[in-house]
Amino acid sequence: GSMAEVQGAALADKAKALQAVKRDGMALQYLSKELRGDKDVVLAAVKKNGGALRNATAALRSDKDVVLEAVKESGFALDWASKDCRANQEIVLEAVRQCGPALKFASDDLRNCKDIVLEAVKTFVDALGLASEALRADEEVILAAVQQQAYALDYASEALRADRVFVLKALEVNEHALACVSDDLRKDKEVVMKAVQKGWQAFREADEQLQGDKDFVLKCVQVDGCALLFASVE
């Protein structure tokens, strides 16, 4: 066959391949190596299904445009990206925005990058378990996580959980975090009252001593009668 025929056949193959991956991105795995290394075909595939990145050639798994499109569709696609892409701040930020748990595929440096962890905790507070000690002692990061889930305070440094000023801020954001503060602060009347003012159920997490303190219980009951449910006074 002439050169023109060979080129014609290749173009027909590419057109068919594009059609297939636009219907189902994972169809990429059944294509020839040549087509799995074709940027147009791979871009179309990962836009449909980010996980198709695993079937792209190594060159395209390290192509920033391709990886960015893949992680926008599915943050988990970061797992198939090249080492360089997993150390690229723009790509990782996009991945964790789409899916917080994708943080585990980021480079060590980026797992300890404040902007990235802040983004990840918006959808996945357990991202704090992957973050550095410095970030677990960072007020802004912990507050952002506590806003999502009270138990995020468990990941905070001991110093923060015993820091009265910080704990009052955390309770302002999520009163249920009282369960995770230091023992001393669960005995602290001002701290417990702050939580109860936000929601009476928080009284359940107060220290037993306070739950049995008649004067204090009366004050809590004035805020919300339901607090009586968790009191241990006669």
Side-chain angles (χ1 to χ4, degrees), residues 5-27:
E5 281 170 348
V6 173
Q7 283 174 329
L11 283 173
D13 278 353
K14 181 169 171 171
K16 258 194 293 201
L18 278 166
Q19 237 177 339
V21 297
K22 281 177 181 168
R23 275 203 305 275
D24 179 355
M26 296 311 278

Side-chain angles (χ1 to χ4, degrees), residues 67-69 71-75 88-99 116 119:
V67 175
L68 207 48
E69 286 300 337
V71 299
K72 277 182 188 169
E73 201 287 315
S74 165
N88 178 290
Q89 190 160 352
E90 188 189 347
I91 287 171
V92 172
L93 199 56
E94 204 56 67
V96 299
R97 187 173 287 146
Q98 203 285 320
C99 164
I116 284 173
E119 194 59 55

Side-chain angles (χ1 to χ4, degrees), residues 128-139 141-142 155-157 160:
L128 289 172
L130 300 166
S132 62
E133 274 179 57
L135 288 180
R136 291 204 296 271
D138 186 295
E139 294 195 11
V141 171
I142 298 296
Y155 285 110
S157 62
L160 271 189

Side-chain angles (χ1 to χ4, degrees), residues 161-202:
R161 285 186 290 137
D163 179 329
R164 202 161 178 275
V165 176
F166 174 72
V167 164
L168 286 168
K169 279 187 217 165
L171 294 173
E172 183 64 49
V173 165
N174 193 333
E175 70 274 16
H176 302 294
L178 186 63
C180 310
V181 307
S182 69
D183 291 347
D184 283 350
L185 290 180
R186 284 179 33 237
K187 294 181 178 124
D188 184 309
K189 291 179 181 176
E190 189 196 346
V191 168
V192 173
M193 181 54 82
K194 171 80 166 180
V196 171
Q197 285 167 344
K198 292 284 290 180
W200 65 269
Q201 293 102 321

Side-chain angles (χ1 to χ4, degrees), residues 29-197:
Q29 63 190 306
Y30 303 114
L31 302 181
S32 67
K33 183 156 188 205
E34 206 174 334
L35 288 167
R36 286 185 288 116
D38 183 300
K39 189 166 174 174
D40 300 330
V41 173
V42 172
L43 270 173
V46 299
K47 279 180 183 172
K48 187 75 179 159
N49 185 330
L53 186 65
R54 64 187 290 185
N55 301 117
T57 56
L60 290 181
R61 290 203 307 273
S62 57
D63 181 296
K64 193 180 160 191
D65 305 329
V66 169
V67 175
L68 207 48
E69 286 300 337
V71 299
K72 277 182 188 169
E73 201 287 315
S74 165
F76 281 125
L78 191 61
D79 191 15
W80 307 107
S82 69
K83 200 173 166 185
D84 284 352
C85 285
R86 285 185 279 129
N88 178 290
Q89 190 160 352
E90 188 189 347
I91 287 171
V92 172
L93 199 56
E94 204 56 67
V96 299
R97 187 173 287 146
Q98 203 285 320
C99 164
L103 183 66
K104 65 170 178 274
F105 304 120
S107 66
D108 290 350
D109 282 353
L110 291 186
R111 286 213 305 262
N112 295 320
C113 166
K114 181 170 172 174
D115 291 342
I116 284 173
V117 173
L118 266 174
E119 194 59 55
V121 297
K122 287 181 188 169
T123 58
F124 180 62
V125 299
D126 295 307
L128 289 172
L130 300 166
S132 62
E133 274 179 57
L135 288 180
R136 291 204 296 271
D138 186 295
E139 294 195 11
E140 191 187 351
V141 171
I142 298 296
L143 281 178
V146 168
Q147 203 162 0
Q148 302 304 320
Q149 298 276 352
Y151 79 84
L153 191 57
D154 269 339
Y155 285 110
S157 62
E158 252 177 87
L160 271 189
R161 285 186 290 137
D163 179 329
R164 202 161 178 275
V165 176
F166 174 72
V167 164
L168 286 168
K169 279 187 217 165
L171 294 173
E172 183 64 49
V173 165
N174 193 333
E175 70 274 16
H176 302 294
L178 186 63
C180 310
V181 307
S182 69
D183 291 347
D184 283 350
L185 290 180
R186 284 179 33 237
K187 294 181 178 124
D188 184 309
K189 291 179 181 176
E190 189 196 346
V191 168
V192 173
M193 181 54 82
K194 171 80 166 180
V196 171
Q197 285 167 344

